[in-house]
Amino acid sequence: MGGSAYNISIVHKVSHSKVFLSVWRVINAVNRCPELAFNFPSCHQKQHEIALGFKEKSRPEFGCCAGVIDGMLLWIEWPSKEECELARCGSVKFFCGRKHKFGLDLQDTCGSEGCFLDVCIGHPGSTSDYLSFSTSSFKTKLECPGFLAPGLFYFWQQCLCQLLLYGNAL
């Protein structure tokens, strides 16, 4: 779920900085564990299994989808001057006008079970989904000849919802 570092520090009677140190210890441990890495399968058989999962869940039995791409805003507090210098952009770039929050843009690709297959957090919150995707490592993989099985595609989340529910796109 989540919560303010200030609230967590009060509830657990630890310092505010100790909360952040603990969070980063967990993040670093997860990042070092290869079994937990997000990895869109390059194996065509696995990609077909994902497509079969989408087919079983859709009314029109739409079975050529190997993954669904969507973006979301990861909320953050107003970034400090030091954080902005590290990111090489001003704090305004982290502000998402549509959500009225500061954040980071997360691009994700999910399979038919809703599990992450690929995640990219490489841009501040004001970045469009298109720009985030176009600079992602997943797009680079998709551009490699033979990476995606013939006849399979990936879809943006909004388009796939229309296809799964109604059998037609907007």
Side-chain angles (χ1 to χ4, degrees):
M1 282 294 179
S4 164
Y6 295 107
N7 292 340
I8 293 169
S9 68
I10 291 168
V11 169
H12 296 283
K13 297 179 172 70
V14 296
S15 71
H16 183 257
S17 59
K18 189 73 160 182
V19 172
F20 284 107
L21 286 173
S22 299
V23 168
W24 278 108
R25 279 189 183 159
V26 171
I27 289 170
N28 289 332
V30 168
N31 285 340
R32 283 191 299 269
C33 182
E35 292 85 11
L36 298 176
F38 300 120
N39 195 11
F40 188 89
S42 58
C43 170
H44 288 182
Q45 181 181 346
K46 295 278 186 196
Q47 294 172 4
H48 280 288
E49 289 171 14
I50 294 168
L52 181 62
F54 280 114
K55 181 178 181 176
E56 291 171 353
K57 291 180 179 187
S58 67
R59 277 200 239 157
E61 297 184 3
F62 187 70
C64 62
C65 179
V68 179
I69 299 170
D70 198 10
M72 77 176 255
L73 182 70
L74 295 176
W75 294 355
I76 62 171
E77 293 180 13
W78 189 327
S80 69
K81 181 180 176 187
E82 293 79 20
E83 291 165 330
C84 290
E85 286 172 4
L86 238 153
R88 292 179 278 166
C89 65
S91 62
V92 172
K93 292 287 185 187
F94 288 94
F95 188 76
C96 175
R98 194 168 54 89
K99 304 272 183 167
H100 301 286
K101 302 272 184 192
F102 285 94
L104 299 169
D105 185 78
L106 177 141
Q107 286 291 303
D108 64 85
T109 304
C110 292
S112 58
E113 298 300 317
C115 296
F116 288 131
L117 300 174
D118 190 86
V119 173
C120 179
I121 307 170
H123 293 281
S126 68
T127 308
S128 71
D129 285 348
Y130 175 77
L131 178 59
S132 290
F133 172 72
S134 67
T135 61
S136 70
S137 60
F138 183 60
K139 180 180 180 275
T140 304
K141 289 178 190 176
L142 288 171
E143 290 174 334
C144 290
F147 176 77
L148 196 59
L152 295 184
F153 306 93
Y154 63 91
F155 291 91
W156 291 102
Q157 186 268 336
Q158 292 87 347
C159 296
L160 185 66
C161 286
Q162 286 289 325
L163 288 166
L164 292 178
L165 294 174
Y166 307 111
N168 60 10
L170 291 172

